[in-house]
Amino acid sequence: GFDTLFTVRVWDFDDDGAHDLIGSTEMTLRELALGPPFRLSLERTDRVESQGAFNIDVVEPLPLTSVRTIAPAYEFTVSGTKLAAKDTLGKSDPFFEIRATPPGFTQDITYYRSEHIVQTLDPCWKPFSINIKDVGGLDNPFTIVVKDRDEDGEHDMIGSCTTTLRDWIMGKYSMPLHIHGEKKSQGAFNIDVATPLPEERSLVLQSSRNSSFMITCAGSKVVNKNGTIKTDASASDIFFELSAKLPDASDRVTIYRSERTPYGKGDPKFKPFPITLRDLHGLDSRFVVSLKQWQDSGDHIFLGSFATSFRDVRHVMVTGDSLLAACKLADHEKSNGGFAFLDVRPIPPQDAPSFAPAYEFVFSGVKLEAMDRPKLGSVTGSSDPFFVCRARPPGTATTISVYRSEVISKNLNPAWKPLFSLLSN
């Protein structure tokens, strides 16, 4: 209102965004409208004397039609200046994320993730657009996080800052980046250009639950159980699994398992695979990527995992840069390698993955434990194996037997008859 008190702060601009406060003063719109000339003292809490004067030189009444309107969306060009060096050669490979809590959300999501710029402390990123309503309005705070990309997925924090879109649309500006608990600036995040758009942009992140995509993934600097990179041709294969928690289930279920692929030099490549957003239970439901080392015994070695959402993954479509995350045994442990979503492409409905009403399976066993004692003259024992499939029907609390195989006599590597008509529903 006309008598609402507001504060004017005058700063000394610094390239690292850590601008120095010269002084501040308070006033109301009524005081401003009383007309010039008038002069207000700039004060600072650590100084007794005035730090200079803030002058009101001209006041001109304007018609309402001259008031600047706010556009529904803006395109921004941003950059970094004098960022902290995180690599041994005195550079960084910086990228940034916008983390916001849009309407209807109870926690932050990654609203936008930029591409990374190689070996620079003064990056200039590609322009991108933001719809005002998508981040909760002009004055809803969101966080900028700037990181140095590492190929094992364990990206180093350069710094972060909290801001609003209102700050961004006021013109060119620099904000200091800080690491929690440290006062020193880690460089500046700059708003270089803010261009109003006549209408909202249709973001690539908008998808229906039935949208399907072809995904290409790879590993990066993957290590084995002993923590060394596998480089020999005879190294064990690795594979990965995607798992998600169903709305009515207490545990996660596996929704995709890749093929086995050689380590190579620690950068295994996997075949592209299709997935439907419905299987992940929406754009923002978290799912887990687990990287494993193949063992013939079936006791595969767990290398590490990380949680993400398809919203995070689909930023690959916006910037063309991969999503690279660290696979760890636990949050506080070192990365056992990076896992990258290299490419994400929408596919037509007819190419979407689907399940048949029933399946035929062929099962076998390998190196089963010998439960029967060896006969006279024999060195090894044997078993007479068979297997039973049990499941819990929907709406019931107990499991039932849905299939029991035949018995294979005296065999530790049995091959059972094909299993027919195991219904998928």
Side-chain angles (χ1 to χ4, degrees), residues 45-303:
T45 56
D46 63 337
R47 297 289 179 88
V48 175
E49 68 276 10
S50 170
Q51 300 303 301
F54 185 80
N55 302 327
I56 304 169
D57 298 322
V58 178
V59 177
E60 293 186 5
L62 294 173
L64 189 60
T65 55
S66 300
V67 177
R68 185 182 67 172
T69 58
I70 303 299
Y74 288 81
E75 181 178 86
F76 296 101
T77 301
V78 301
S79 62
T81 305
K82 295 183 177 180
L83 299 184
K86 296 295 182 177
D87 295 339
T88 55
L89 298 178
K91 296 289 185 179
S92 290
D93 303 314
F95 68 96
F96 72 90
E97 296 175 339
I98 297 178
R99 297 180 181 173
T101 308
F105 287 77
T106 58
Q107 59 185 11
D108 282 356
I109 63 168
T110 303
Y111 179 80
Y112 179 80
R113 183 180 60 250
S114 77
E115 76 283 8
H116 75 285
I117 309 295
V118 177
Q119 292 293 288
T120 182
L121 301 181
D122 301 288
C124 294
W125 291 287
K126 295 177 182 178
F128 63 98
S129 60
I130 297 179
N131 297 326
I132 288 181
K133 73 174 186 180
D134 289 347
V135 292
L138 281 177
D139 299 304
N140 191 43
F142 58 87
T143 302
I144 304 296
V145 179
V146 181
K147 295 182 179 181
D148 167 47
R149 178 180 169 114
D150 288 331
E151 291 307 307
D152 65 356
E154 200 163 14
H155 313 305
D156 298 315
M157 171 72 81
I158 292 177
S160 66
C161 61
T162 301
T163 182
T164 67
L165 272 187
R166 191 180 295 277
D167 286 335
W168 286 36
I169 67 174
M170 289 181 181
K172 190 171 182 178
Y173 187 60
S174 297
M175 295 169 286
L177 297 167
H178 291 283
I179 292 178
H180 182 70
E182 298 184 12
K183 292 184 177 180
K184 183 180 178 182
S185 170
Q186 302 299 305
F189 185 85
N190 309 314
I191 312 302
D192 299 318
V193 181
T195 304
L197 301 175
E199 58 186 15
E200 293 183 347
R201 287 287 174 90
S202 178
L203 302 179
V204 69
L205 296 181
Q206 295 172 343
S207 302
S208 71
R209 287 178 60 85
N210 292 322
S211 299
S212 298
F213 304 87
M214 188 64 69
I215 313 294
T216 303
C217 298
S220 177
K221 293 188 175 181
V222 177
V223 301
N224 71 359
K225 185 180 179 182
N226 296 321
T228 56
I229 297 177
K230 288 282 191 177
T231 58
D232 57 341
S234 61
S236 298
D237 294 343
I238 67 167
F239 65 97
F240 72 89
E241 294 176 338
L242 304 184
S243 60
K245 187 176 178 181
L246 298 174
D248 56 351
S250 58
D251 298 320
R252 295 197 309 267
V253 297
T254 301
I255 56 176
Y256 178 77
R257 181 187 301 113
S258 77
E259 78 285 5
R260 296 164 51 187
T261 189
Y263 266 97
K265 294 185 178 181
D267 302 305
K269 304 295 188 296
F270 301 100
K271 295 178 181 178
F273 65 95
I275 200 162
T276 300
L277 197 55
R278 178 185 60 253
D279 296 332
L280 299 174
H281 311 293
L283 200 59
D284 296 294
S285 294
R286 307 289 283 179
F287 64 91
V288 175
V289 179
S290 300
L291 199 61
K292 297 182 178 182
Q293 181 174 328
W294 177 270
Q295 298 290 293
D296 286 339
S297 65
D299 188 19
H300 310 303
I301 299 173
F302 175 64
L303 296 177

Side-chain angles (χ1 to χ4, degrees), residues 374-388:
K375 291 183 177 181
L376 186 63
S378 176
V379 178
T380 61
S382 187
S383 288
D384 304 312
F386 70 98
F387 69 89
V388 178

Side-chain angles (χ1 to χ4, degrees), residues 323-336:
L323 168 62
L324 180 62
C327 291
K328 300 181 179 181
L329 296 176
D331 288 341
H332 63 279
E333 296 195 16
K334 185 179 179 181
S335 171
N336 273 338

Side-chain angles (χ1 to χ4, degrees), residues 12-27:
D12 169 47
F13 182 90
D14 286 332
D15 286 339
D16 64 356
H19 315 305
D20 299 311
L21 178 65
I22 295 175
S24 65
T25 187
E26 294 181 336
M27 66 189 77

